[in-house]
Amino acid sequence: MVTSVIPHLEANSQATVLPKYPVISLNSSGHKGLHVPLNNSEVEKEIFLPCDKKNGTETVDAKPKSLAVAKRPDSGGVEGKPIALVANHFLVEFDPSQKIFHYDVEIFPNPSKEVARMIKRKLVGENSTVLSGARPVYDGRRTIYSPIEFQDDKLEFYISLPIEQNRQHKIFWVNIKLVSKFDGNGDDFYNTPLPQEYIHALDVVLRESPAEKCFSVGRSFYSSSFGGAKEIGGGAIALKGFFQSLRPTQQGLSLNVDFSVTAFHESIGVIPYLQKRLDFMHDISREKTRILTREEKKEVEKALKNLRIFVCHRETVQRYRVYSLTGEITENLSFPERDGKNLRLVSYFKDHYEYDVQYTNLPCLQISRRKPCYLPMELCVICEGQKFLGKLSDDQTVKILKMGCQKPRERKKIIDSVMEGQFGPTSGDQGKEFKLRVSKEMTRLTGRILQPPKLKLGNGGHVRNLTPFRHDRQWNLLDSHVFEGTRIERWAIISFGGTPDQKSSIQKFINQLSQICEQLGIFLHKNTVISPLFEPMHVLGNAKLLESKLRKIHKAAFGNLQLLVCVMERKHRGYTDLKRIAETSIGIVSQCCLYSNIGKLGSQFLVNLALKINAKVGGCTVALYNSLPSEIPRIFRQDDPVIFMGADVTHPHPLDDFSPSVAAVVGSVNWPAANKYVSRMRSQTHRQEIIHDLCAMVKEILDDFYQELSKLPKRIIFFRDGVSETQFYKVLHDELLQIREACSRFPGYKPPITFAVVQKRHHTRLFPKPDPSLPENQFLDENVPPGTVVDTVITHASEFDFYLCSHWGVKGTSRPVHYHVLWDDNEFTSDEVQKLVYNLCYTFVRCPKPVSLVPPVYYAHLAAYRGRLYLDRSDSRSCTISRSSSPEAMALPKLSDNIRKLMFYC
């Protein structure tokens, strides 16, 4: 029925929210207005850049020019050996003429996600006539989509739910209002991009069935019925599930489905949960008179804050959220009754529920922001389905990774079972009503395997070439030398902790490391400048004491120490202070390792250590034998140096809602080898993804480039990490503008720029297509080989993107990296940019094999992580940030001049 809104409810209700996505609109002449497809790519947005391209160079133009994402310059690459693949994308068939009706829904009082779905189910079940017999889908928040128009544009309901047994039902006011109606462009479907809201609506349709049966986290769904739950310690369990996302591709709409594992809070009593998570709570059941210290109480509150709980002393479906702990212990708590008298909390539970509170020495849970509302911990249970947002321990992380580490054949089997099973996107009937059908077969396609580049190594002062033709493309450095080995004459070693036997092994470690370096063509003096120093572990926990120890070592080396090796008994938070002090206060390159690793038999650890040391002090592991100018002669010239830059932003932990983010930019400073990178780091506003100070950082790196090569780079190739598709336009506009601004600081300097986004956190997986000639599909147990590239079928319909798997997956299923070129003044072809990225993956300094990620981005990630370490002091009390202070004001400490141009962050 349609009625007017009751005044007091209207006052408390929220304002109508506009549709999340832009929709098709018609102007007076009947022509379609602006629409924005799912990835904001089909329309030139009016973003203005004060430059124009002319004859391959950039010239300033007084007229603003719209900025559009680069289009694919050809029909895809052709180089490489073809390989038959299947991808975890499932073709979605739909009727573009099917109308969809978008309704905004308000519910008061505001319910939890679970209760909101209960309300929706009851509303649909009891009001079929008013809803025209439709079975609408619900996104769990403010949006309902229906394939049939409801009887009225505005509907109002009162839904009663039995929140508490034997008590009055809770009544929810529901207001539904038509926002828009649209289709998939009907007859013009093949010539007009699909409206973004239409895709979003179909995505909600496909999520409806899993959302009713599973716990949803972002775009993933989890259930204990989906392979069981596994305890991983610390009050956490791991649940298996699946990810799904609808996206437009060259083949049409495609549903990307992948296997997923994540950690949840274990659904157990609050006190058992705390006993699993916090060591000091273990003996709380035996010491029921002990009161928590101030610090312990802070830890308990941190562990429980914002968790949803339910009570077990009465039957109810109501859920509560923990806001804080009470200031007083349970024994001392009381609240005013209606007659004005105070009633002790323990007496209330005895009188009303015949329950004697056991843990009167503990505080209660405060479950209301505005008024006192107390619950004893022992009567509360953690609700299931809550993602564990706390930082996982190393042991928990290993268990999660082990659960999620599936060989290709097993992963493909799991994904296929999702599509066939009761929890998957095809398990409900909603698709039929919206004329939607999802294929249950993975997409078949043809990829290409790029040839590995010939590499340049050292050999006793002579250059040796090598082509890595092994199946994993790895090469053996012990048969040759690194391309550029350094001479380390003055170095020292310091030990923190360790048993007597471990300490006695230090001299052996020094000898072995020196020998391995010699085999690799790196000179490491057999004697340290001072005898090894042995310090207890607690020195790492005292920043001032640690700095004094490091300064003594530096002074003993007459202020000219090339390297400090630090051997630790175990991982320690003081590592952050050690790096910050060494690199910003004193100016020492340091290399840390654990006693447990130096005691291992075999040389691989020592080889990896030597490669890191060599890179940090100015050497390099490998170079391309055929330089980039000879590999891609149309773009690159030997005498015209090019800079490769990488950028990344690292954000604080999910539970940290005020610490600054850290941005890092790196740039190559040698040509044509392009394998040595300088870095710049800045702190910026909390969780800001756009790099605020990019202009200054790029300018400083260009200065370093000029100092090394006596000229500025002819071209700039910029790789940007960590950007989602919804941020493409903003990042492209803001950051490309800043790069241009940095270039303009040099008179007359306007180089062509290529700006590419690099995405690792996606869910596309590639599997070798079953080969009937192999016994029992033996090939399916293997990952796709290094160099596998895909730029058709599952990629964007018109934009310049591709998937590249440049590494060999040793464990689990390889994840290809998604490269999306947003701007391309250099006019690369598909083959050229794919060859460039793949060749660069062989030049990473830390290992003798191709890496999964283009090195400029890899280095930017490492540099951003190092900047984060500078903020994360071991003594957190000494650098507490108040919420009233500005995170931007907390600048990173300045790097010491003598390491600023080194790859100290490797």
Side-chain angles (χ1 to χ4, degrees):
M1 64 178 179
V2 182
T3 61
S4 61
V5 177
I6 297 173
H8 79 272
L9 286 175
E10 184 176 7
N12 288 285
S13 64
Q14 300 175 18
T16 300
V17 176
L18 291 175
K20 183 178 178 182
Y21 298 90
V23 299
I24 290 288
S25 61
L26 297 178
N27 59 28
S28 56
S29 61
H31 296 295
K32 291 179 179 177
L34 174 67
H35 75 271
V36 184
L38 183 66
N39 49 13
N40 298 336
S41 57
E42 301 293 344
V43 179
E44 292 192 5
K45 281 189 152 186
E46 291 303 308
I47 302 174
F48 300 113
L49 193 69
C51 54
D52 189 17
K53 191 167 82 171
K54 184 178 180 182
N55 300 324
T57 61
E58 295 300 321
T59 58
V60 175
D61 188 352
K63 295 181 180 179
K65 181 182 178 181
S66 62
L67 187 63
V69 169
K71 302 299 181 186
R72 196 182 307 279
D74 44 40
S75 57
V78 295
E79 291 189 11
K81 177 184 175 183
I83 177 174
L85 303 168
V86 291
N88 58 338
H89 286 234
F90 298 84
L91 183 63
V92 177
E93 297 177 1
F94 62 97
D95 181 357
S97 65
Q98 169 66 47
K99 270 205 173 347
I100 295 179
F101 300 86
H102 173 195
Y103 292 88
D104 178 75
V105 57
E106 291 180 76
I107 305 176
F108 182 83
N110 191 32
S112 65
K113 285 195 299 184
E114 295 87 349
V115 173
R117 289 208 168 268
M118 290 168 62
I119 293 169
K120 180 259 180 182
R121 284 196 294 268
K122 188 171 183 182
L123 187 153
V124 172
E126 295 179 350
N127 297 276
S128 178
T129 302
V130 178
L131 301 181
S132 304
R135 295 180 60 193
V137 296
Y138 177 45
D139 73 348
R141 295 181 296 272
R142 293 292 303 261
T143 299
I144 281 179
Y145 291 113
S146 173
I148 304 171
E149 189 167 12
F150 299 159
Q151 285 191 353
D152 290 285
D153 291 350
K154 292 184 179 180
L155 297 169
E156 185 177 289
F157 303 92
Y158 293 93
I159 302 298
S160 173
L161 289 181
I163 297 297
E164 297 190 16
Q165 189 174 356
N166 300 325
R167 296 196 177 200
Q168 187 176 0
H169 286 203
K170 190 164 185 176
I171 297 176
F172 294 88
W173 171 72
V174 183
N175 186 41
I176 296 177
K177 183 167 59 177
L178 180 67
V179 174
S180 61
K181 51 183 91 171
F182 48 85
D183 59 25
N185 292 325
D187 298 334
D188 201 26
F189 168 64
Y190 292 102
N191 297 318
T192 310
L194 206 57
Q196 182 181 6
E197 185 170 14
Y198 196 80
I199 298 174
H200 180 253
L202 297 185
D203 189 44
V204 173
V205 173
L206 292 173
R207 294 173 64 81
E208 178 77 1
S209 182
E212 291 283 350
K213 303 168 185 174
C214 306
F215 307 123
S216 62
V217 177
R219 291 193 165 274
S220 298
F221 300 96
Y222 301 91
S223 171
S224 55
S225 302
F226 191 75
K230 179 178 180 179
E231 255 194 87
I232 59 173
I237 59 170
L239 288 182
K240 295 179 179 179
F242 62 94
F243 165 93
Q244 73 171 60
S245 176
L246 189 65
R247 51 191 303 111
T249 63
Q250 290 186 29
Q251 68 172 343
L253 280 186
S254 176
L255 188 68
N256 180 205
V257 179
D258 191 25
F259 172 62
S260 181
V261 177
T262 199
F264 288 82
H265 295 279
E266 190 174 1
S267 181
I268 54 177
V270 165
I271 289 181
Y273 171 81
L274 291 172
Q275 289 172 333
K276 288 187 174 187
R277 188 159 179 186
L278 303 171
D279 290 340
F280 60 81
M281 291 293 291
H282 287 171
D283 56 359
I284 203 74
S285 59
R286 293 193 301 271
E287 299 180 26
K288 293 184 180 178
T289 58
R290 187 171 81 82
I291 297 175
L292 297 176
T293 66
R294 184 179 178 185
E295 289 303 315
E296 288 173 342
K297 190 175 175 182
K298 281 184 179 179
E299 287 293 308
V300 170
E301 188 168 75
K302 182 180 176 183
L304 296 178
K305 191 168 185 180
N306 290 323
L307 283 183
R308 287 179 293 112
I309 53 125
F310 64 91
V311 295
C312 57
H313 64 282
R314 53 184 169 84
E315 292 188 41
T316 176
V317 296
Q318 191 158 3
R319 301 295 183 256
Y320 307 95
R321 191 174 295 279
V322 178
Y323 289 107
S324 62
L325 300 183
T326 57
E328 294 285 345
I329 61 173
T330 304
E331 177 71 31
N332 300 335
L333 285 174
S334 61
F335 58 91
E337 289 193 285
R338 291 180 181 176
D339 60 6
K341 294 181 180 178
N342 274 354
L343 177 64
R344 292 180 67 228
L345 190 75
V346 290
S347 301
Y348 170 81
F349 278 92
K350 177 67 173 174
D351 296 343
H352 284 71
Y353 300 104
E354 297 183 354
Y355 181 80
D356 292 313
V357 179
Q358 302 294 308
Y359 294 91
T360 57
N361 59 316
L362 294 177
C364 279
L365 304 182
Q366 169 67 29
I367 57 169
S368 173
R369 278 200 181 115
R370 300 176 186 86
K371 59 183 180 180
C373 196
Y374 312 136
L375 287 174
M377 288 188 192
E378 65 204 74
L379 298 178
C380 299
V381 180
I382 308 289
C383 294
E384 64 177 343
Q386 298 182 82
K387 189 174 189 289
F388 192 93
L389 295 177
K391 187 174 183 181
L392 294 175
S393 67
D394 290 346
D395 185 53
Q396 288 173 319
T397 302
V398 167
K399 290 176 180 176
I400 285 278
L401 291 176
K402 191 173 181 181
M403 280 185 70
C405 188
Q406 307 290 342
K407 279 287 187 184
R409 183 207 293 259
E410 182 61 27
R411 194 181 198 97
K412 183 178 182 299
K413 184 178 177 182
I414 292 171
I415 295 170
D416 287 336
S417 71
V418 168
M419 297 302 294
E420 297 283 352
Q422 60 175 322
F423 299 106
T426 61
S427 60
D429 297 327
Q430 289 79 13
K432 295 178 183 177
E433 296 207 8
F434 286 85
K435 299 180 181 178
L436 191 66
R437 192 181 77 83
V438 183
S439 170
K440 293 186 179 180
E441 288 190 7
M442 288 192 182
T443 297
R444 300 185 179 193
L445 53 93
T446 300
R448 292 171 289 113
I449 305 172
L450 303 180
Q451 286 297 306
K454 187 182 287 188
L455 304 177
K456 193 187 295 185
L457 300 169
N459 186 16
H462 302 285
V463 174
R464 178 194 170 201
N465 72 77
L466 174 148
T467 303
F469 276 123
R470 266 177 47 168
H471 73 287
D472 58 1
R473 300 296 187 256
Q474 191 165 349
W475 60 94
N476 190 351
L477 269 175
L478 293 178
D479 294 339
S480 57
H481 292 169
V482 297
F483 177 63
E484 185 180 337
T486 52
R487 290 189 64 84
I488 304 171
E489 305 272 3
R490 306 180 66 78
W491 70 290
I493 189 165
I494 184 170
S495 159
F496 296 99
T499 65
D501 284 345
Q502 287 175 328
K503 293 177 184 177
S504 66
S505 69
I506 284 292
Q507 190 56 53
K508 180 182 177 183
F509 167 64
I510 292 173
N511 295 337
Q512 288 179 328
L513 183 59
S514 179
Q515 289 170 10
I516 284 290
C517 284
E518 185 178 358
Q519 290 179 45
L520 294 173
I522 305 163
F523 178 79
L524 180 70
H525 204 287
K526 290 181 170 59
N527 298 313
T528 55
V529 292
I530 57 173
S531 298
L533 296 180
F534 296 94
E535 301 291 346
M537 281 296 291
H538 73 78
V539 172
L540 280 172
N542 185 326
K544 289 183 179 179
L545 181 58
L546 176 62
E547 182 166 355
S548 70
K549 299 287 185 184
L550 297 185
R551 286 196 180 279
K552 283 183 181 178
I553 296 172
H554 193 237
K555 186 177 180 181
F558 303 103
N560 186 24
L561 193 68
Q562 291 174 274
L563 172 70
L564 176 64
V565 175
C566 308
V567 186
M568 301 176 183
E569 179 184 332
R570 62 181 184 278
K571 292 182 179 180
H572 192 281
R573 287 192 65 189
Y575 170 85
T576 62
D577 287 323
L578 191 152
K579 290 294 183 182
R580 175 179 50 80
I581 293 166
E583 293 161 3
T584 66
S585 298
I586 303 175
I588 307 174
V589 171
S590 60
Q591 177 60 56
C592 297
C593 54
L594 298 175
Y595 270 114
S596 57
N597 287 328
I598 70 171
K600 290 178 181 176
L601 297 174
S603 60
Q604 191 56 54
F605 168 75
L606 291 173
V607 169
N608 294 341
L609 198 67
L611 293 181
K612 289 183 71 174
I613 289 171
N614 186 55
K616 286 182 177 184
V617 295
C620 67
T621 304
V622 66
L624 298 173
Y625 188 81
N626 297 319
S627 63
L628 291 172
S630 60
E631 287 286 314
I632 311 173
R634 194 181 69 85
I635 303 290
F636 301 132
R637 301 281 186 275
Q638 192 80 18
D639 297 331
D640 293 334
V642 175
I643 189 169
F644 299 103
M645 305 186 83
D648 189 19
V649 179
T650 177
H651 301 293
H653 192 268
L655 293 179
D656 182 340
D657 58 359
F658 57 90
S659 294
S661 294
V662 175
V665 181
V666 302
S668 59
V669 289
N670 60 336
W671 178 260
N675 56 7
K676 292 184 181 180
Y677 288 77
V678 295
S679 65
R680 292 295 184 275
M681 298 165 281
R682 299 283 196 279
S683 60
Q684 61 184 43
T685 303
H686 174 77
R687 299 207 180 283
Q688 177 181 314
E689 184 56 47
I690 303 298
I691 301 177
H692 176 70
D693 210 15
L694 181 62
C695 176
M697 288 192 277
V698 170
K699 166 67 167 59
E700 291 173 19
I701 290 173
L702 291 175
D703 282 334
D704 288 345
F705 189 98
Y706 186 84
Q707 289 175 21
E708 291 293 326
L709 297 177
S710 300
K711 60 171 71 173
L712 289 168
K714 185 75 172 178
R715 304 174 189 273
I716 295 177
I717 317 295
F718 193 93
F719 295 98
R720 177 66 158 89
D721 189 22
V723 179
S724 66
E725 291 175 350
T726 58
Q727 297 172 310
F728 277 6
Y729 274 119
K730 185 163 180 57
V731 167
L732 176 60
H733 175 246
D734 290 9
E735 296 187 1
L736 183 59
L737 201 62
Q738 289 194 67
I739 297 170
R740 294 274 187 226
E741 176 63 24
C743 295
S744 72
R745 305 288 174 88
F746 302 90
Y749 180 55
K750 296 160 188 166
I753 298 170
T754 295
F755 190 108
V757 165
V758 182
Q759 296 175 307
K760 308 181 299 292
R761 294 185 180 127
H762 62 82
H763 286 267
T764 293
R765 298 293 183 272
L766 303 172
F767 305 93
K769 187 179 175 183
D771 187 345
S773 66
L774 293 175
E776 297 185 6
N777 295 334
Q778 174 186 330
F779 194 35
L780 279 178
D781 270 337
E782 296 291 334
N783 274 303
V784 296
T788 298
V789 65
V790 169
D791 57 6
T792 59
V793 186
I794 60 171
T795 51
H796 195 278
S798 61
E799 292 177 6
F800 196 1
D801 70 323
F802 60 93
Y803 292 94
L804 172 64
C805 189
S806 53
H807 69 298
W808 173 251
V810 179
K811 292 182 179 180
T813 304
S814 296
R815 170 166 32 198
V817 172
H818 188 209
Y819 296 89
H820 203 125
V821 180
L822 300 187
W823 187 263
D824 187 23
D825 291 330
N826 292 292
E827 299 181 345
F828 282 98
T829 65
S830 293
D831 279 325
E832 287 169 340
V833 75
Q834 290 163 13
K835 178 186 283 188
L836 169 64
V837 170
Y838 186 48
N839 284 6
L840 287 176
C841 287
Y842 281 80
T843 64
F844 189 64
V845 293
R846 296 202 327 194
C847 54
K849 59 183 177 182
V851 288
S852 62
L853 191 63
V854 67
V857 165
Y858 208 138
Y859 296 140
H861 177 74
L862 293 174
Y865 174 71
R866 181 56 52 85
R868 169 68 52 203
L869 287 186
Y870 294 164
L871 295 177
D872 295 340
R873 310 285 181 90
S874 65
D875 182 6
S876 57
R877 290 169 294 179
S878 67
C879 60
T880 300
I881 308 170
S882 69
R883 291 174 188 266
S884 60
S885 66
S886 169
E888 293 179 274
M890 196 178 172
L892 294 178
K894 188 179 178 182
L895 289 171
S896 175
D897 286 340
N898 56 326
I899 70 162
R900 186 172 56 85
K901 294 185 179 180
L902 297 175
M903 297 177 68
F904 63 92
Y905 48 84
C906 285

